[in-house]
């Protein structure tokens, strides 16, 4: 049997049916609906399309089984920016393992942060969204995962 291959794909390039399947699965997982029929109807998807994609598409956070994640962040050179970032990471239950920061050049610094996610309250995507919303943060991306 051929080994399965997996790809990470941005949400905006998924077909509408795949996006709706993810929405329906989320509704079911969160207990907002009780049946596949309810979920499919709520998101405007046929049940057959749901069943076609349900076992083949997953949110990124469900694929991360590792307990250590390395993030690369671009920060504006502001007093307290790194401190605020670390406060958020700690507030969601993550433990900082390593921090590497470049010298700020042209008002920006790159921070590589390795965190342990054993105690994470919430989901990885929620943390990434929160960090992206910080005023001093220009970008955040996951650059590695491990056990």
């Amino acid at each position: 049997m051929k080994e399965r291959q997996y790809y990470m794909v941005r949400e905006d390039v998924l077909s509408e049916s795949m996006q709706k399947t993810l929405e329906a699965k989320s509704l079911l997982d969160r207990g907002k609906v009780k049946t596949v029929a309810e979920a499919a109807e709520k998101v405007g998807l046929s049940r057959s399309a749901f069943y076609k994609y349900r076992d083949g598409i997953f949110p990124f956070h469900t694929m991360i089984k590792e307990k250590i994640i390395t993030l690369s962040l671009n920060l504006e050179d502001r007093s307290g920016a790194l401190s605020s970032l670390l406060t958020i990471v700690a507030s969601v239950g993550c433990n900082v393992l390593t921090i590497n920061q470049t010298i700020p050049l042209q008002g920006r610094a790159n921070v590589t942060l390795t965190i342990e996610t054993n105690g994470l309250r919430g989901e990885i995507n929620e943390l990434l969204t929160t960090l992206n919303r910080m005023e001093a943060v220009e970008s955040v991306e996951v650059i590695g995962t491990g056990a």
Side-chain angles (χ1 to χ4, degrees):
M1 184 162 88
K2 183 178 178 184
E3 186 176 320
R4 291 182 183 205
Q5 293 185 338
Y6 294 88
Y7 303 90
M8 187 170 10
V9 179
R10 278 191 340 261
E11 180 181 31
D12 62 319
V13 298
L14 294 175
S15 70
E16 184 179 355
S17 294
M18 289 178 176
Q19 290 179 18
K20 287 182 177 187
T21 299
L22 286 168
E23 287 178 57
K25 286 175 70 168
S26 177
L27 290 172
L28 288 162
D29 290 344
R30 293 180 297 139
K32 300 288 184 186
V33 294
K34 294 189 185 308
T35 67
V36 169
E38 282 180 272
E41 183 178 336
K42 192 161 194 141
V43 299
L45 180 72
S46 70
R47 286 186 312 149
S48 63
F50 175 84
Y51 285 117
K52 176 179 179 180
Y53 295 117
R54 76 168 178 181
D55 294 328
I57 189 161
F58 305 94
F60 178 68
H61 68 85
T62 63
M63 298 303 290
I64 299 177
K65 296 184 174 98
E66 294 82 3
K67 309 225 183 297
I68 297 172
I69 295 176
T70 302
L71 305 173
S72 176
L73 302 101
N74 287 317
L75 296 179
E76 290 180 12
D77 184 21
R78 287 188 190 183
S79 179
L82 182 59
S83 176
S84 297
L85 179 131
L86 295 174
T87 298
I88 289 172
V89 169
S91 73
V92 297
C94 292
N95 183 36
V96 176
L97 301 175
T98 65
I99 303 170
N100 294 300
Q101 179 177 341
T102 62
I103 295 172
L105 297 172
Q106 299 176 344
R108 288 169 182 69
N110 179 264
V111 175
T112 303
L113 193 65
T114 302
I115 58 175
E116 185 176 42
T117 61
N118 286 345
L120 177 63
R121 292 182 296 280
E123 298 180 8
I124 295 294
N125 284 341
E126 292 170 5
L127 173 60
L128 297 176
T129 299
T130 301
L131 294 176
N132 260 317
R133 288 185 180 148
M134 290 180 60
E135 257 185 70
V137 173
E138 293 181 351
S139 65
V140 179
E141 64 181 291
V142 176
I143 60 171
T145 61

